[in-house]
Amino acid sequence: ADTVLRGLDAVDTFGAVVEAEPALGTRMDEVAFDEALRAIADFVDLKSPYTLGHARAVAELADAAATRLGMTGDEVALVRRAALVHAFGKLSVSNAILDKPPPLGTGERERLRLIPYVTQRMLRQSPALAPLALVAVQVGERLDGSGYPGGLVGAAICREARVLAAADVY
């Protein structure tokens, strides 16, 4: 077992996959990147019939709000892209919970509250997606500290995440 398992903890699995597949090293332009994010967001939204089109709708609303607030083009793109990926973590939640009518039990609510955290864990491995993870993980935070997953307060929540959270709630 020592021979077979030696070094497994030291392997950067994401990097190893990218190195093993030359096509994964290909760079996308901004348009292709947005198209890829929309396609994956659509796929994630298919998990539950209650969320079909949710990521795209949140992205459009967040984009419009960020533009109206006078955010820079890069900031608007960050908000829009973070909106597309903000719920990737729901892939880790059973449909028995996602599709269950309220009220949810304490454990079920906790599973839902983990969605931003799991999203961040999924995205942080990629240098291209890590900036989106920093915004998406804050989608459940609230200015008074009652949010999740970190219980952040006020200015600790970035402006982009505030725009995203408002669009998501709306």
Side-chain angles (χ1 to χ4, degrees), residues 6-167:
R6 184 179 309 129
L8 276 182
D9 290 335
V11 174
D12 170 19
T13 54
F14 184 80
V17 170
V18 171
E19 285 180 31
E21 176 53 59
L24 291 179
T26 304
R27 295 295 238 178
M28 291 184 190
D29 64 20
E30 297 292 313
V31 173
F33 186 51
D34 286 339
E35 288 174 5
L37 290 177
R38 279 192 296 274
I40 297 167
D42 289 345
F43 175 78
V44 172
D45 281 353
L46 288 173
K47 180 162 175 64
S48 172
Y50 301 107
T51 60
L52 294 177
H54 175 75
R56 278 185 187 240
V58 172
E60 290 172 15
L61 187 57
D63 182 292
T67 301
R68 176 105 182 193
L69 287 169
M71 295 173 90
T72 68
D74 287 344
E75 292 168 330
V76 172
L78 177 62
V79 170
R80 181 184 62 252
R81 290 170 178 161
L84 288 169
V85 304
H86 81 277
F88 280 15
K90 77 179 173 185
L91 293 173
S92 70
V93 178
S94 164
N95 276 60
I97 295 172
L98 285 177
D99 300 339
K100 181 180 177 182
L104 297 176
T106 303
E108 293 165 330
R109 282 192 309 276
E110 280 304 308
R111 290 287 299 163
L112 294 176
R113 289 168 58 103
L114 285 173
I115 290 173
Y117 173 75
V118 173
T119 298
Q120 178 195 33
R121 298 289 299 172
M122 291 169 68
L123 299 175
R124 74 184 186 101
Q125 299 180 62
S126 163
L129 300 175
L132 308 181
L134 295 174
V135 175
V137 71
Q138 296 182 18
V139 72
E141 300 291 354
R142 298 296 175 255
L143 295 175
D144 66 0
S146 66
Y148 56 89
L152 300 178
V153 178
I157 305 167
C158 71
R159 185 176 186 206
E160 294 86 357
R162 292 177 192 205
V163 172
L164 170 56

